[in-house]
Amino acid sequence: MSKAIHYDLTTFEGTIQSLGKYLNLAEREISKYIVNNKDNYDRDEFIEKFQITDEQLLSSELIMSALHVTTNNDECSSIKKYGLVNLQQAILLDTPLNKYLQNLGVQIDLAKKQIVYKGKVYDLAKDYRGITERSSAEWVSFKLFEDYQINSFFSSENVLNYGGNVNENPEFLYNLAQLLNDGKIKYDWMNDSNKKCYIIKFETPLSSINNFYHRIYTENLEEIEIDLMNRKWIIEKSLSILNDGIFHGGYTIEIHCELKPSVSVPFRNIIKICTPSEYLKEYKINKE
């Protein structure tokens, strides 16, 4: 690949600048296309109109920006030491979550797939039924061994309003509290006066991010074909953000970013750490 493009979907300005640099288009050309196709933009038509070839789409390395919401009581010192880490690493390394669980007497053995709490051993399930049918043990097991990657947002109207309440406590603690039948596990973290919320803007290569399409759509495809699909997906989401910004009062759609399970984000790739008030001000969000 000939060049690296830092691609930022977190703002309207970042989106149009990134799309222009990626496709070597003037921002006015992109804006004109959106204006002429209000709410009726089409990714493939856009690509054809500007004669963008597959070779051009694949010629650059894309470095994607995203926003991650977290809470901790160490003023992000462990993040400065380890960077952003997945749930398994957060349990094993010297992090606020690790210390919190130890202080509560919760022992999680990832190798044995067991949790010990108040003298009782909880064996974690290996199979997961449908979402509405999962037991608390299945949910904890799913979080620890299937859904433990770093989650974030490419774009959001307000990341603090996400339904998982990640601005108050790690989602995992809700599932753990249900399994161990002890609400203290969740609420002690939420009520810790030393705990603060942070919004972390980071960047990571596109290759470190989970595919944007379900595996049933990609299982018979070559890696280069999947890469091309992902890049066209990014163009589609870019056009959506620009259309909403121009015609719908700046409303920003919520686009999730899910890193591959084994991926962490070193501190050098963290662009900025913001408090909620700093985030709301920078992104011009009116707090509801």
Side-chain angles (χ1 to χ4, degrees):
M1 294 186 180
S2 60
K3 59 181 177 178
I5 302 294
H6 294 262
Y7 210 109
D8 190 349
L9 292 169
T10 66
T11 65
F12 178 94
E13 294 79 10
T15 300
I16 195 167
Q17 290 170 9
S18 300
L19 185 61
K21 289 179 181 178
Y22 178 36
L23 302 180
N24 195 27
L25 295 174
E27 292 178 25
R28 65 178 179 277
E29 292 181 286
I30 299 171
S31 297
K32 184 178 179 181
Y33 172 82
I34 296 295
V35 169
N36 290 338
N37 295 275
K38 178 183 177 182
D39 296 335
N40 196 34
Y41 56 87
D42 182 89
R43 177 198 68 193
D44 294 332
E45 177 192 72
F46 178 84
I47 290 172
E48 182 178 352
K49 174 180 175 61
F50 293 107
Q51 300 180 324
I52 307 299
T53 65
D54 289 352
E55 290 74 21
Q56 183 178 348
L57 291 176
L58 294 167
S59 65
S60 302
E61 180 185 14
L62 297 185
I63 311 296
M64 306 299 297
S65 293
L67 299 172
H68 175 75
V69 184
T70 190
T71 58
N72 60 64
N73 59 7
D74 69 349
E75 297 184 336
C76 293
S77 63
S78 63
I79 291 174
K80 293 172 184 176
K81 180 178 181 180
Y82 300 115
L84 291 180
V85 298
N86 63 37
L87 177 59
Q88 289 188 358
Q89 292 170 313
I91 288 171
L92 295 172
L93 296 173
D94 184 22
T95 66
L97 180 59
N98 173 291
K99 294 175 182 176
Y100 178 76
L101 294 174
Q102 285 189 33
N103 289 337
L104 287 175
V106 178
Q107 302 173 41
I108 300 178
D109 191 322
L110 296 174
K112 293 182 178 180
K113 293 192 174 183
Q114 289 182 339
I115 295 176
V116 180
Y117 183 58
K118 293 184 176 180
K120 184 176 179 180
V121 178
Y122 297 81
D123 289 312
L124 300 178
K126 295 180 181 179
D127 300 316
Y128 318 105
R129 291 170 289 180
I131 291 178
T132 59
E133 299 175 345
R134 284 180 195 157
S135 66
S136 55
E138 287 172 329
W139 269 113
V140 170
S141 183
F142 178 73
K143 291 289 186 180
L144 284 174
F145 301 110
E146 295 290 329
D147 191 38
Y148 60 92
Q149 73 284 328
I150 297 169
N151 293 306
S152 56
F153 302 88
F154 283 131
S155 171
S156 174
E157 189 172 21
N158 185 346
V159 299
L160 298 172
N161 288 343
Y162 175 64
N165 297 321
V166 290
N167 60 317
E168 295 183 347
N169 62 277
E171 283 187 276
F172 171 66
L173 293 182
Y174 168 79
N175 302 111
L176 187 62
Q178 283 198 317
L179 171 63
L180 304 182
N181 195 29
D182 191 344
K184 174 185 177 69
I185 291 169
K186 175 183 178 180
Y187 292 111
D188 277 7
W189 183 289
M190 292 177 62
N191 297 326
D192 181 1
S193 60
N194 294 318
K195 173 217 68 182
K196 296 178 182 178
C197 175
Y198 300 92
I199 298 87
I200 300 175
K201 186 174 184 178
F202 68 92
E203 58 182 12
T204 193
L206 178 60
S207 58
S208 295
I209 299 171
N210 267 340
N211 293 332
F212 304 131
Y213 295 90
H214 193 279
R215 62 179 178 271
I216 63 173
Y217 299 110
T218 60
E219 59 185 356
N220 296 319
L221 299 179
E222 300 290 336
E223 283 298 318
I224 192 170
E225 294 176 297
I226 298 172
D227 190 18
L228 187 60
M229 287 176 63
N230 287 336
R231 289 163 183 265
K232 289 182 178 181
W233 181 93
I234 290 170
I235 293 174
E236 181 179 330
K237 296 305 178 184
S238 297
L239 296 176
S240 177
I241 290 169
L242 298 178
N243 181 80
D244 289 341
I246 292 173
F247 293 114
H248 301 292
Y251 170 74
T252 305
I253 58 174
E254 189 167 273
I255 308 173
H256 296 270
C257 170
E258 183 180 283
L259 301 194
K260 292 179 178 178
S262 62
V263 170
S264 58
V265 179
F267 183 66
R268 65 179 178 274
N269 289 351
I270 291 177
I271 300 169
K272 184 180 294 186
I273 300 177
C274 297
T275 63
S277 59
E278 291 169 338
Y279 161 75
L280 294 171
K281 181 178 180 181
E282 179 174 344
Y283 282 79
K284 300 179 178 62
I285 297 168
N286 293 322
K287 188 175 181 181
E288 296 179 1

